[in-house]
Amino acid sequence: MRCPYCGSPDSQVKDSRPAEDGGAIRRRRICPDCSGRFTTFERVQLRDLMVVKKSGRRVPFERDKLARSIHTALRKRPVEEERVERMISGIVRQLESTGESDIPSEAIGRLVMEALRGFDDVAFVRFASVYRDFREARDFESIISELTAAPGTQTEDRG
């Protein structure tokens, strides 16, 4: 693994342990050239996924980009990071298990919406406002009424 500090092509693994829900290995590394320390994660990847954008352009799927969008929706919300990581891993597993290599961006958005709907109502509305390209207050009213009308979509008690 290349050192992120000095670019040296080698690094030594000092510690390895399971991360998240057992779906990754966390490795602490040290660079023999600059003594920089950093962490890497190793995950199982069943297949190379490509995201098909609305324009038809194909780009490689990036788990980190998915995680960033979910973390943005959940910013300042009282949720445990471990639960968020399990949700992200679950979405990735769903995408990999479709049997398809090309995944429409809309399908990814729908999976995130489904996951957030049962996870956190505020994050669900935040993500929906971007995913569905809200342009006026009426759009928020519509999604909130959709959220409250769906059975079993109560936000869990955090108190």
Side-chain angles (χ1 to χ4, degrees):
M1 175 65 60
R2 183 174 304 278
C3 175
Y5 303 112
C6 72
S8 174
D10 295 317
S11 62
Q12 298 171 343
V13 175
K14 290 299 182 187
D15 178 47
S16 291
R17 60 183 148 166
E20 303 164 12
D21 59 350
I25 300 293
R26 179 183 183 270
R27 300 194 192 281
R28 284 295 296 157
R29 296 177 175 268
I30 187 167
C31 175
D33 294 338
C34 73
S35 299
R37 295 177 181 264
F38 57 99
T39 302
T40 60
F41 290 90
E42 181 179 316
R43 300 183 202 291
V44 172
Q45 182 175 331
L46 297 176
R47 65 179 34 136
D48 289 330
L49 297 175
M50 296 297 287
V51 178
V52 181
K53 302 286 192 173
K54 290 178 184 176
S55 67
R57 191 170 55 102
R58 296 173 70 237
V59 297
F61 174 77
E62 296 178 44
R63 184 185 197 280
D64 290 341
K65 186 173 180 182
L66 172 68
R68 277 193 309 273
S69 67
I70 290 172
H71 282 288
T72 298
L74 288 166
R75 189 166 65 227
K76 296 187 179 184
R77 299 298 300 152
V79 295
E80 297 172 19
E81 184 59 32
E82 185 176 311
R83 288 188 64 223
V84 175
E85 283 301 319
R86 279 197 308 264
M87 177 178 60
I88 293 167
S89 293
I91 292 169
V92 172
R93 277 194 301 274
Q94 283 181 291
L95 293 171
E96 291 175 334
S97 67
T98 63
E100 299 292 326
S101 293
D102 289 351
I103 308 290
S105 59
E106 296 86 12
I108 297 170
R110 281 193 303 274
L111 286 174
V112 173
M113 293 265 297
E114 289 171 18
L116 286 174
R117 171 177 269 137
F119 195 81
D120 186 274
D121 291 348
V122 172
F124 171 76
V125 172
R126 286 177 178 168
F127 187 86
S129 70
V130 174
Y131 173 67
R132 294 187 179 172
D133 194 24
F134 287 5
R135 297 194 185 279
E136 52 190 51
R138 192 173 324 133
D139 297 333
F140 285 94
E141 292 170 0
S142 172
I143 196 74
I144 290 170
S145 65
E146 177 184 319
L147 183 64
T148 56
T153 57
Q154 297 292 320
T155 304
E156 63 190 56
D157 182 21
R158 292 184 179 83

